[in-house]
Amino acid sequence: MNLPVVSPSFHRPPRHPYAWAWVFTASQLLVVGLWWRWGWPAGLPAMVASHLTVIWATLHPRSQLLAPALSRLPVADRAVWLTIDDGPSADTRAMLDLLDAHGARATFFLVGERASAQPELVREIVRRGHGIGQHSHTHPQAWFWALPPRAMRAQIDAAQAALTAITGTAPRWFRAVVGMSNPFVASALKRHGLARVAWSARGFDGVRCEPEQVVDRIERDLAPGAIVLAHEGAAHGRNVETLSLLLERLRALGYRCVVPDGDASVPEPSAGSAGEDIQRRREVESGIATH
């Protein structure tokens, strides 16, 4: 049976989604003051620096300037949060089988439009005890970072509605497309109580097709509490093979895959199942449900 746990304190939806606007306005007033007092030699560098700061905050996946972003779990032992982006896809069932075989749990960050086209896969993810997060509605990879307010809200609203309709439960976690989160994301997240999730270990398996290289890169960034980014459905067709190797490597290194409590409810494995020994070691720590 699942043990009772405390709701995780690290689930942090944006509280002040327009704070960036006040800060940016203040910075531009400062630029005007510098320009008026000392001319362009002082004003121009200040203006460039202020604009570059906004660009950096938009493009850097772990930036906290525009909205809170979780990139590591507060655990001290060898536990990681495995997250899988871009589904559902033709890879989903095979990935679920691999996770079952290793007694591991993951959170799937799903694209709303793809979920609506294959709702049975979404329900299968939930049935097997894994978490669901949202990853926009149409996955506009090239332009998500530049979407204006109305288009950004539409992406997040539509994905939330689609996933909630399929599963009966509203997702609690959000991952920006390609990790880029512009100033208009925060207000949409606050509307739905969504917390943004970044990552601390990735192997670029969305574009790289050599599983060994992908897993080697992830391993270099592994540490207690790491959030591992993986993908499904990439054009190179080797995401399942990569996940298999990754799960084997994690087990060899003594890492367990965990998900935040409330994201999944895993049934007890039957006697002799692959996850039996991990099930016996289940524990509660810092608001994390583990297997």
Side-chain angles (χ1 to χ4, degrees):
M1 72 188 216
N2 288 322
L3 298 173
V5 297
V6 177
S7 179
S9 61
F10 47 84
H11 181 268
R12 294 192 300 139
R15 296 179 58 191
H16 307 289
Y18 299 107
W20 65 269
W22 292 99
V23 173
F24 185 72
T25 299
S27 73
Q28 299 316 290
L29 291 174
L30 177 61
V31 167
V32 171
L34 291 172
W35 209 304
W36 178 80
R37 179 67 178 82
W38 287 290
W40 71 265
L44 182 60
M47 182 180 71
V48 171
S50 66
H51 284 73
L52 286 178
T53 299
V54 174
I55 293 172
W56 175 85
T58 296
L59 302 182
H60 194 284
R62 293 191 291 273
S63 169
Q64 305 279 337
L65 293 181
L66 302 177
L70 180 67
S71 58
R72 188 174 296 279
L73 294 177
V75 297
D77 73 336
R78 291 195 165 219
V80 299
W81 184 7
L82 176 60
T83 63
I84 302 172
D85 284 10
D86 295 351
S89 73
D91 293 339
T92 303
R93 289 190 185 278
M95 287 186 158
L96 290 172
D97 290 342
L98 282 172
L99 292 166
D100 283 351
H102 285 265
R105 294 167 78 184
T107 297
F108 288 75
F109 284 86
L110 303 179
V111 178
E113 188 176 62
R114 298 171 189 173
S116 294
Q118 303 180 85
E120 71 285 352
L121 289 180
V122 180
R123 287 189 284 267
E124 183 68 6
I125 292 170
V126 175
R127 189 188 71 79
R128 299 211 200 181
H130 302 285
I132 297 289
Q134 75 131 297
H135 192 42
S136 83
H137 192 62
T138 64
H139 200 268
Q141 182 169 319
W143 298 107
F144 184 83
W145 65 275
L147 291 179
R150 183 176 295 181
M152 181 64 73
R153 187 172 71 178
Q155 282 286 332
I156 294 172
D157 286 357
Q160 194 75 352
L163 294 172
T164 302
I166 294 168
T167 67
T169 303
R172 303 168 66 243
W173 305 102
F174 169 81
R175 174 164 286 145
V177 179
V178 199
M180 298 177 184
S181 181
N182 75 21
F184 310 121
V185 168
S187 60
L189 297 187
K190 184 178 181 181
R191 281 163 50 86
H192 297 289
L194 286 161
R196 186 162 66 102
V197 180
W199 58 79
S200 53
R202 69 180 299 186
F204 296 95
D205 61 319
V207 292
R208 291 185 177 177
C209 63
E210 293 299 329
E212 189 70 39
Q213 293 178 11
V214 169
V215 174
D216 285 347
R217 184 180 179 92
I218 290 174
E219 183 179 344
R220 289 198 294 269
D221 293 326
L222 285 178
I227 298 178
V228 178
L229 171 61
H231 293 83
E232 60 174 300
H236 56 66
R238 303 188 72 181
N239 287 142
V240 174
E241 183 182 351
T242 299
L243 180 63
S244 178
L245 182 60
L246 174 61
L247 291 170
E248 291 171 3
R249 187 76 59 85
L250 289 171
R251 173 175 286 184
L253 293 170
Y255 281 97
R256 296 172 293 127
C257 294
V258 304
V259 296
D261 177 57
D263 277 12
S265 178
V266 175
E268 295 291 330
S270 58
S273 71
E276 185 179 19
D277 57 335
I278 296 177
Q279 175 72 19
R280 285 197 299 265
R281 290 187 292 146
R282 184 168 50 192
E283 61 187 21
V284 176
E285 54 186 358
S286 303
I288 304 292
T290 66
H291 274 262

